Amino acid sequence: VSYCIAEVSLPASELRPLVDELSNRIRSGIIALGAQEGGKAHIFVKVSQDLAVNGLKASELIKSALETVEGSGGGKAEMAQGA
């Protein structure tokens, strides 16, 4: 499984466009990006459709990440976000 996990120095509002751009490059895999803004960690996770239909869900991955930063959020099988 291809993946990209990184903390980036961008405003939280720019995470989704960057996640979309990166997911177009790897086609099948997982993208998880985080950024700090306003004293909070913002996290965005995207799982390709082929992995999501086989049981790997972005909404489950984001829960683990958000527990680490004491945040909340959610989403769907292919895309999730939180802070």
Side-chain angles (χ1 to χ4, degrees), residues 7-11 14 34-36:
E7 180 180 353
V8 295
S9 297
L10 293 172
E14 293 184 30
Q36 292 184 30

Side-chain angles (χ1 to χ4, degrees), residues 65-79:
L66 291 171
E67 285 176 9
T68 304
V69 297
E70 299 177 357
S72 63
K76 298 183 179 184
E78 292 180 36
M79 218 178 295

